[in-house]
Amino acid sequence: MVPMEDKNFIRRIIEEDLKNNKHERPITRFPPEPNGLLHLGHARAIIMNYVLAKDYGGKFYLRFDDTNPITEDTLFIEGIKRDVAWLGCEWDELRYASNYFERMYELAMHLVRQGKAYVDDLSAEQIREYRGDLKTPGKESPYRERSIEENIDLFRRMRAGEFADGEKVLRAKIDMASPNMNLRDPVIYRIQHTPHHNTGEAWCIYPMYDFAHPLEDAIEGITHSLCSLEFENHRPIYNWFVEHTEVENQPRQIEFGKLKIADQVIGKRNIRKLVEAGIVDGWDDPRLITLSGLRRRGVPPAAIHDFIRALGLPKSEGETELSMLDEYIRDHLKTSARRIHAVLDPIKVVITNYPEGQSETLSAAYNRENEALGSRELTFSDTLYIEREDFLEEKPNKKWKRLSLGLEVRLMHAYFIKAERVEYDDEGRVETIYATYDPRTKSGSGFKERKPNGTIHYVDARTARPAEFRLYQDLMLDTDEQRPITERVDADSKQVRHGFIESGVDIQERERFQFVRHGYFVADDDSEKNRPVFNRTVALKSSFKPKK
RNA sequence: UGGGCUAUAGCCAAGUGGUUAAGGCAUCGGACUUUGACUCCGACACCGGUGGUUCGAAUCCACCUAGCCCAGCCA
């Protein structure tokens, strides 16, 4: 699975612009509002902005669009920075829209002086009524024709804090009859006596998105301002402000389709409900596709890059299945992760013909596909653990490639063993399997006289390390948006197993492993010295279809 | 007839008048296998519909259908 070069229409636009010397190099930006956490959907905007700039020798900025003090929080700023950095999209500059408040005010005043903006005394409700609706044109505000002098004076006094919240707004004078609702004299400044995380008490008026965004882009010299499709209707205003404020740079807004992932909980409100209901373990729960959740799940950022690039940058909006990401994750971990033995649900095996109390070590490569990862010593003794699901007293069908009574399997990297009899516990469950091993079948010996009924993995019970395994399944049960989120979710989507991993493997912080025959796992921060905890990142693919 | 946009397989997506209509995911076969993994081989599209232009249309035109976005002093 080789990720192809992404072809997309924006790439073509940039190449065209460079060819025509419209720009020396592209400058792009990712402009989040610090009012929430980032999820996989944002990864498209982050990575594409980054890649498109970097591929053409340009620059990429991270800019916080912090123009609304009542919804924003510095906590999110740190979270967003961490997530963008985790994706490896190193920003050339970190910017804040709020650093341009003074300049924006001047530009608004410029509009006022040109007679292109006016102070409106209408209430919010009145403005809504005057705006008309989708099919009827709006009416002009009675304050629309105030003199320029009066507007200048009023706007100054708005800034000076002479008015209460909502008492007045500054509006662009465009066209109340426009079929594009956004052009019906959009509000560009509102009064908000709220301290700002960055500017503190310096301002009581704050610019609106439609006004602020194009100017932020222009001030920073952004060449290609990428945003999602819902802003297509805003492009005319974007251009209107760029033109009429007469800013030096003329950024170009280009819209692309948002990345949506099928069957995932993504809304802030919904996630909060699940967190509060205790169904998930926080915003970084591995079942969530928040970037922090993906990180905790062990997803390599490079896999997200490949996934995003493979999807390209379309103008259509669909829902991508997460299985596609899973495949990129496996692809990255396939050769990079050490592959070791873990038994998640152990059952004891006693080797009756192995010298009691004795043990031996067997050398095993960490990853046959990547010798650079080296090898380790596995121990073998008369008492082992194998996976409970790898044993069935009677072979159920001829496809069964695991252990059964009277059958012989290979223990990976060790010997063939043959199950002879079992002992049950009080509940009738198999407690111990008694087996014999054949010393001639030692791994690497080239023994060919018999074919085992499959290969399974094991750990040596005498040396195995206890470990906790957290297995995650799809959180979402159904996508009926009418029903409350807490009912649409699988409360059992997280399963915790207590088992063992082989001894002697040094586990680095957040290291990713392949647990042979199970899948890819990452060491969780909850790990303790004597009890590592692993999250399953993604299971191995399997063509095994149990039939009943 | 408010305006803007989108439509290629179960999912994503190339394709910009001449191709057997890329590729990935998923699925289904098969080979190989000390991971039922990996790898390898094979299968899998009447391009939303209908007409038209053209020697030739997924690509151009017309009409139609379906879906998305817009009536925050949110972004």
Side-chain angles (χ1 to χ4, degrees), chain A residues 106-118:
Chain A
E106 285 165 18
L107 291 168
M109 193 55 101
H110 178 73
L111 252 21
V112 172
R113 277 195 254 270
Q114 304 288 307
K116 289 170 184 159
Y118 62 97

Side-chain angles (χ1 to χ4, degrees), chain A residues 408 410 416 438-452:
Chain A
E408 195 174 42
R410 182 198 304 278
F416 289 12
D438 181 348
R440 295 180 304 153
T441 59
K442 184 169 175 175
S443 177
S445 67
F447 180 83
K448 289 244 163 47
E449 288 169 39
R450 301 190 302 277
K451 280 262 179 199

